[in-house]
Amino acid sequence: MSALKRRLDSSLTAQAVLAFLMALAITALFARPDEHPASWLLRSALYTGIGVVFIVVQRRRIGRATGADPRRLADLNRKIRHREVPSDPEERAVMRRLVAEHLRRMERGGRWLPYSLGLMGLLAVGLLVVGAVTGSLSLPVFTVLLIGICCWTLWMRRRTLDRCRHMQSALREQDERVS
């Protein structure tokens, strides 16, 4: 299991295959009964392609900001998750830039978070009302999924901020010890 997690963490191809399979399952789940399965494949490939483009652009931006390649970034992100401070001074410098970049992105995204969560909340209420009026059972399911996504987003944001702040202070303490 650890090898699979490491492969998914570092390999864009593995991430793309997993995303394609998930998109295919979701597309098949919500497809019309008269729809041909080839359209599922095409839409899933399109969704996966769009997602991979976003991931590649994000990796390049972070790579340019930190001066590290994607494989090294994956290893440093794993160290952030496991709260491991690198012993190499060069690696600590890259880690410091990576943590600063993560915190900067989280701060910038945090400005829009209330608006996006409010919009998702309005969408959830609207779906619930439309589902109650039409008697549809799928719309309340979408509402529950939307609320779950909102809660998961807030939880992951808090968790990532805690990890990055912890790593920032641990790097600062490590640098003070070395000096």
Side-chain angles (χ1 to χ4, degrees):
M1 190 61 154
S2 177
L4 176 66
K5 284 172 62 174
R6 191 169 288 240
R7 171 70 61 132
L8 282 172
D9 196 29
S10 63
S11 171
L12 184 62
T13 306
Q15 292 172 3
V17 168
L18 181 64
F20 175 75
L21 293 174
M22 288 175 57
L24 183 63
I26 291 169
T27 303
L29 183 64
F30 295 112
R32 292 186 311 261
D34 61 336
E35 196 171 8
H36 195 274
S39 68
W40 305 347
L41 291 172
L42 290 174
R43 280 191 288 163
S44 300
L46 176 69
Y47 301 152
T48 303
I50 292 169
V52 167
V53 166
F54 280 118
I55 290 171
V56 166
V57 168
Q58 181 183 13
R59 280 186 176 186
R60 284 193 181 162
R61 280 185 189 157
I62 292 175
R64 278 193 303 258
T66 60
D69 63 335
R71 194 167 296 276
R72 188 172 180 193
L73 287 174
D75 185 47
L76 290 174
N77 280 322
R78 185 191 60 75
K79 286 183 179 184
I80 290 172
R81 283 192 307 271
H82 293 284
R83 298 178 185 252
E84 299 172 8
V85 179
S87 58
D88 181 35
E90 180 185 330
E91 194 174 11
R92 275 199 314 269
V94 174
M95 175 78 83
R96 193 175 305 105
R97 289 191 300 265
L98 178 63
V99 168
E101 179 69 17
H102 281 320
L103 287 172
R104 186 180 65 79
R105 285 176 177 269
M106 296 290 283
E107 180 183 315
R108 187 175 45 184
R111 286 184 227 145
W112 291 99
L113 189 65
Y115 302 112
S116 60
L117 288 176
L119 179 65
M120 290 175 82
L122 285 173
L123 200 79
V125 168
L127 285 173
L128 195 60
V129 168
V130 169
V133 169
T134 62
S136 171
L137 292 177
S138 62
L139 292 177
V141 170
F142 280 127
T143 302
V144 170
L145 286 174
L146 197 58
I147 291 170
I149 288 171
C150 290
C151 292
W152 178 78
T153 301
L154 288 172
W155 177 70
M156 284 301 295
R157 177 180 165 72
R158 184 182 54 96
R159 190 171 162 193
T160 303
L161 280 171
D162 288 345
R163 286 176 175 171
C164 286
R165 288 179 182 144
H166 174 269
M167 186 55 68
Q168 191 176 38
S169 67
L171 287 168
R172 201 175 304 126
E173 287 175 12
Q174 182 75 13
D175 289 339
E176 289 172 0
R177 282 187 217 146
V178 171
S179 313

